Amino acid sequence: WIDSQVPSVVQNSIEFMRKAAAKAVSLGMGMDVEMDGNGDESKNDVADFDPQAVRQANAFIIAGACFSIGIRYAGSANRDAAAAIFQRVMWFLELRDNKDVTRQVQRPDLTTLTTCLCTSAISLALVMAGTGDLDSFRLFRALRWSCDDNVSYGTHMIYGAAIGLLFLGGGKRTLGSSPEDVPMLIAAFFPHYPILSSDNQYHLQALRHMYVLAAHDRILESVDVDSREKVCIPIELSLPDTPECIQSSTPFLVANNSNFVELRTKSDRYYPIVLKTTDWNSRGIMSNIFVKRKPGHL
């Protein structure tokens, strides 16, 4: 879906530059491929477009598509959406760090590339908010590691925000994707990042805190009715129209757009409980599961 958002004229131009770079390398021309032609097979075969504008358009379109997916699947922990965004984050990272000629001709200016990398990273964090996903955390930590004069305040801010979203509420909260939540997320993570902490020229920095209005408590916990203490018990969640079940344990973060239909406790220490869960997707705050310990069990 992300690739389909790039117009054919941009795709063809990028492919033109990539082939020109590959031909230049094969002819031993090194990095001297900045668009005066495609490597010299014909005087008529000359680029009639602005290479830098094409690179910027390609990067911005891909980053914008990632941001759209991040907003659409915010807090859902959708693996397909996360994998698609993750792949684009790695692509931007490769454009930034890879010195290969065929990559360099696709590389926009550093400011554009950094903005797009930050936008795709925060999009991944939106999808995986509250999950503490280890692969995403490793990626954000690697991105945040760079610290030199070329890294602005806004870059540090957005990578820090991505890590914060990943562990939102200590893993007890996630982001909503309802019509009421979408404007809050767009205002908070609007992809124009400040240079300084006092930079309010293009976006009021106070609006960066509006994500809290889209955060929802979605943790499912079990409580012993006798001791009133929270306990960890194994649970089984049924999916609609399939015999497959998900095995997990409490505490359990219920992601947005979850389609579970039934919950069953599977503990030997506590009496079994069966709950209908079809209203989880529309309910704001999850209720606790109260369990009773069997006699003779510690």
Side-chain angles (χ1 to χ4, degrees):
W1 181 84
I2 295 176
D3 292 335
S4 67
Q5 303 307 303
V6 182
S8 58
V9 63
V10 176
Q11 293 180 351
N12 294 338
S13 300
I14 290 291
E15 184 65 15
F16 180 91
M17 290 188 288
R18 191 189 64 78
K19 289 181 178 180
K23 183 176 290 187
V25 170
S26 66
L27 295 175
M29 295 173 62
M31 284 297 293
D32 189 20
V33 295
E34 196 62 46
M35 300 279 81
D36 61 344
N38 71 341
D40 297 306
E41 197 165 90
S42 167
K43 291 292 183 182
N44 296 324
D45 200 5
V46 177
D48 58 352
F49 55 85
D50 183 352
Q52 189 64 4
V54 169
R55 297 185 189 109
Q56 290 177 344
N58 186 56
F60 280 132
I61 291 169
I62 291 176
C66 290
F67 191 64
S68 299
I69 293 177
I71 295 294
R72 169 63 181 83
Y73 292 98
S76 67
N78 186 290
R79 290 293 173 180
D80 293 334
I85 299 174
F86 191 95
Q87 182 181 0
R88 296 324 186 276
V89 175
M90 297 305 297
W91 181 74
F92 283 123
L93 193 60
E94 188 176 3
L95 284 184
R96 189 190 71 178
D97 298 337
N98 196 332
K99 303 304 180 183
D100 181 71
V101 175
T102 56
R103 287 296 184 190
Q104 288 296 306
V105 295
Q106 302 177 57
R107 184 179 188 267
D109 59 280
L110 183 60
T111 301
T112 297
L113 183 57
T114 301
T115 299
C116 293
L117 182 58
C118 291
T119 301
S120 55
I122 201 65
S123 302
L124 178 60
L126 288 172
V127 176
M128 304 304 291
T131 63
D133 182 64
L134 188 57
D135 291 334
S136 300
F137 178 55
R138 286 172 178 154
L139 175 61
F140 297 152
R141 188 175 60 177
L143 291 172
R144 191 171 179 267
W145 189 259
S146 178
C147 185
D148 53 40
D149 293 338
N150 294 324
V151 182
S152 67
Y153 162 79
T155 302
H156 285 298
M157 178 202 72
I158 210 66
Y159 290 149
I163 295 176
L165 286 179
L166 205 59
F167 300 96
L168 187 63
K172 294 183 178 182
R173 300 173 71 85
T174 190
L175 296 174
S177 57
S178 67
E180 296 80 12
D181 298 323
V182 169
M184 305 301 129
L185 296 178
I186 294 176
F189 304 110
F190 184 73
H192 196 105
Y193 310 116
I195 299 175
L196 303 171
S197 59
S198 58
D199 183 5
N200 294 286
Q201 182 176 4
Y202 299 106
H203 187 67
L204 188 62
Q205 293 309 306
L207 298 178
R208 297 290 179 189
H209 300 280
M210 292 189 70
Y211 74 92
V212 298
L213 299 177
H216 302 284
D217 201 345
R218 301 279 289 178
I219 192 70
L220 182 69
E221 297 177 311
S222 52
V223 179
D224 190 307
V225 295
D226 296 320
S227 64
R228 293 292 175 174
E229 293 181 352
K230 295 177 182 178
V231 294
C232 178
I233 61 173
I235 57 175
E236 184 179 77
L237 297 160
S238 300
L239 297 170
D241 304 322
T242 176
E244 296 182 5
C245 296
I246 295 178
Q247 307 291 333
S248 187
S249 61
T250 59
F252 179 75
L253 182 68
V254 181
N256 286 334
N257 303 319
S258 60
N259 56 351
F260 303 123
V261 295
E262 191 176 74
L263 177 147
R264 294 179 293 273
T265 59
K266 307 294 289 185
S267 174
D268 294 331
R269 299 176 61 195
Y270 296 90
Y271 287 109
I273 294 177
V274 179
L275 298 175
K276 298 297 181 182
T277 60
T278 53
D279 64 336
W280 273 4
N281 193 39
S282 59
R283 195 191 312 175
I285 299 177
M286 308 304 300
S287 59
N288 293 329
I289 302 175
F290 292 94
V291 293
K292 173 72 174 179
R293 184 180 300 176
K294 294 178 181 178
H297 288 76
L298 299 177

